[in-house]
Amino acid sequence: MDSLTASDVQDDVHPEQIQLSVVLPVYNEKGNLRPLAEELREVLESEYDHWEALFVDDGSTDGSYGVLRELHEEDDRIKVIRFRGNFGQSPALDAGLDYALGEVVVTMDSDGQNDPADIPRLVDKLEEGYDCVSGWRSDRDDPLGKRISSRFASGLRQAFLGTELHDYGCTLKAYRRPAAKDMDLTGEMHRYIPALLSWHGYRIAEVEVNHRPRTAGETKYSWQRLPKGFLDLINVWFWQKFSGRPLHVFGGLGILSMGIGSLAGLYAAWLKLTASANLSETALPLFAVFMVMIGVQFFLSGILADISIKGYQHAKNEEPYRVRDVLDHDR
């Protein structure tokens, strides 16, 4: 699998052959994999004729890959993507979404805390006309410190992003295929998937799900993730608000700064002409020049950002819009 790309795999199997794909990032979860795979198989076999489970081994060092290889040999519907190193949860989810062949894609954690029995409920909610259904762990079975930090982070996300969800951090989500393929996850961006999809015009819903205690292995979450997540939050917020018009924000700041500098300069000149003030004893002229220079820098940054974003969209062959339906004379 290391030498294959997602497009190679999708050329071998037509996506319509798979009803449901389940994507599970794995990092040192050896003790949880077999029980979880058995639960998944039981749920999926009872609900769907054609399904697949994609475990993405994110550089595990505890023997997780050996267990995954055994599971694949026992059932080829259980597929394994193995990374060359530890790249993080967002890249692991991104790879799984790229390789997934199903018309519906579900993501979930591999630590056993997400309940596979909730999958049909999320898929049923999709059928009501949504593009993404996110799990809400209303009764979380986590340590107090983790619950507090998650609550704080969720409040920040709501304040910055405006997406009305109770639980941004739940990996258990269901997507229609277009939404699943319309994401590029890096850093800690998996926490902001609903906001990213909502920004692109997809319809988002939330369903309460079961949250179970961890029975094996150790949690991978720690306070060190908070500053990284906050920086990604600022990044998502900026892209959501200004990615199509960066000159508006940088240019606006530039005009404001140059305006303040110009007023300070005029005031300094007025003091010199009317009161014969000794401007060498005040920082007013320096402040005026500094603010004008900062304003010019902001304005130039806006122009460069605008050029960069247009180049980014051109390089990725990406349009600044998403089409939902097309009606023409042939339909």
Side-chain angles (χ1 to χ4, degrees), residues 160-215:
F160 275 87
L161 305 177
T163 308
E164 295 297 327
L165 293 180
H166 296 86
D167 188 354
Y168 285 81
C170 183
T171 306
L172 184 57
K173 295 179 174 67
Y175 311 87
R176 293 185 184 276
R177 183 178 177 81
K181 299 300 180 181
D182 195 15
M183 288 186 287
D184 185 13
L185 303 178
T186 58
E188 300 287 328
M189 290 295 189
H190 64 277
R191 303 175 186 278
Y192 309 111
I193 287 175
L196 292 169
L197 291 177
S198 178
W199 170 36
H200 286 162
Y202 293 102
R203 295 152 294 179
I204 313 298
E206 192 174 43
V207 169
E208 289 191 47
V209 296
N210 186 26
H211 192 242
R212 307 183 295 188
R214 175 184 278 274
T215 58

Side-chain angles (χ1 to χ4, degrees), residues 20-215:
L20 180 75
S21 298
V22 182
V23 173
L24 305 97
V26 177
Y27 181 63
N28 292 343
E29 297 289 357
K30 179 181 178 180
N32 294 308
L33 296 175
R34 183 167 290 278
L36 179 58
E38 292 173 354
E39 280 189 280
L40 267 176
R41 185 185 294 112
E42 181 179 351
V43 170
L44 298 180
E45 283 185 343
S46 65
E47 297 286 340
Y48 309 101
D49 295 325
H50 305 289
W51 58 270
E52 64 177 1
L54 295 91
F55 288 85
V56 184
D57 182 9
D58 184 26
S60 297
T61 58
D62 67 341
S64 292
Y65 179 68
V67 176
L68 293 175
R69 185 168 52 190
E70 292 174 2
L71 291 170
H72 171 68
E73 291 171 353
E74 296 167 7
D75 188 340
D76 62 5
R77 294 173 298 182
I78 295 177
K79 303 175 182 180
V80 182
I81 302 166
R82 188 184 189 188
F83 282 178
R84 295 184 183 274
N86 177 232
F87 293 91
Q89 186 172 358
S90 286
L93 285 170
D94 193 51
L97 293 172
D98 286 343
Y99 279 83
L101 302 173
E103 288 302 314
V104 171
V105 182
V106 172
T107 60
M108 62 186 299
D109 286 326
S110 58
D111 57 11
Q113 292 193 266
N114 293 148
D115 190 347
D118 287 321
I119 291 176
R121 296 176 53 240
L122 269 68
V123 176
D124 288 344
K125 188 68 175 180
L126 278 181
E127 298 303 320
E128 296 180 15
Y130 296 101
D131 301 294
C132 170
V133 178
S134 183
W136 170 22
R137 300 164 295 181
S138 58
D139 185 17
R140 294 187 60 170
D141 199 326
D142 277 329
L144 178 62
K146 185 175 178 181
R147 294 201 303 270
I148 292 174
S149 63
S150 295
R151 191 72 59 84
F152 174 73
S154 180
L156 280 178
R157 292 170 193 140
Q158 287 186 354
F160 275 87
L161 305 177
T163 308
E164 295 297 327
L165 293 180
H166 296 86
D167 188 354
Y168 285 81
C170 183
T171 306
L172 184 57
K173 295 179 174 67
Y175 311 87
R176 293 185 184 276
R177 183 178 177 81
K181 299 300 180 181
D182 195 15
M183 288 186 287
D184 185 13
L185 303 178
T186 58
E188 300 287 328
M189 290 295 189
H190 64 277
R191 303 175 186 278
Y192 309 111
I193 287 175
L196 292 169
L197 291 177
S198 178
W199 170 36
H200 286 162
Y202 293 102
R203 295 152 294 179
I204 313 298
E206 192 174 43
V207 169
E208 289 191 47
V209 296
N210 186 26
H211 192 242
R212 307 183 295 188
R214 175 184 278 274
T215 58

Side-chain angles (χ1 to χ4, degrees), residues 220-289:
K220 311 304 184 297
Y221 296 91
S222 63
W223 67 268
Q224 288 94 335
R225 290 197 173 198
L226 287 176
K228 297 178 183 178
F230 179 73
L231 292 175
D232 282 329
L233 171 62
I234 298 300
N235 186 23
V236 171
W237 171 81
F238 181 84
W239 271 88
Q240 191 176 35
K241 296 291 185 181
F242 303 109
S243 65
R245 45 192 174 90
L247 184 58
H248 288 193
V249 61
F250 287 110
L253 290 173
I255 291 172
L256 177 63
S257 180
M258 286 188 287
I260 293 173
S262 299
L263 289 175
L266 290 173
Y267 180 61
W270 181 80
L271 289 177
K272 181 67 175 178
L273 294 174
T274 61
S276 299
N278 185 2
L279 297 180
S280 63
E281 296 179 354
T282 176
L284 192 58
L286 181 61
F287 173 76
V289 172

